[in-house]
Amino acid sequence: MSAERPEVGDVWVEEDDKYNYRRMVWISLVKNALVSGVTDEGHVQWCCSLEDFLAKNKFLYKSKAKIEDLFEVE
């Protein structure tokens, strides 16, 4: 499930109410207990451990896109 473990295409949010800070993260890679993604600023987020990622970010929504859609042939 996406809310328990990030999946490619999911959108998560990193928030810090103390500093009024929020950024969105689109997951681009989940491999060997590491997570990487692209932020709403267009920057590639550094790779971090799954444990650290889950501690700092919360699940926003699951992407409806599927990789199969890229290769659909009639």
Side-chain angles (χ1 to χ4, degrees):
M1 182 176 185
S2 294
E4 295 168 3
R5 180 177 172 89
E7 296 176 0
V8 172
D10 289 350
V11 179
W12 288 66
V13 64
E14 179 183 1
E15 293 180 305
D16 187 336
D17 293 334
K18 181 178 177 182
Y19 296 104
N20 196 24
Y21 172 80
R22 182 177 190 182
R23 76 174 175 179
M24 312 288 261
V25 178
W26 285 263
I27 305 301
S28 61
L29 175 70
V30 179
K31 184 176 181 181
N32 299 331
L34 295 174
V35 180
S36 184
V38 178
T39 69
D40 55 353
E41 299 144 346
H43 300 218
V44 174
Q45 182 183 16
W46 60 92
C47 215
C48 65
S49 72
L50 179 60
E51 184 178 284
D52 288 345
F53 181 83
L54 291 172
K56 290 180 8 179
N57 297 273
K58 73 177 178 183
F59 178 73
L60 199 55
Y61 64 87
K62 180 166 181 61
S63 172
K64 294 180 182 178
K66 297 181 202 167
I67 192 73
E68 294 87 16
D69 295 342
L70 296 174
F71 303 101
E72 187 174 319
V73 179
E74 290 186 23

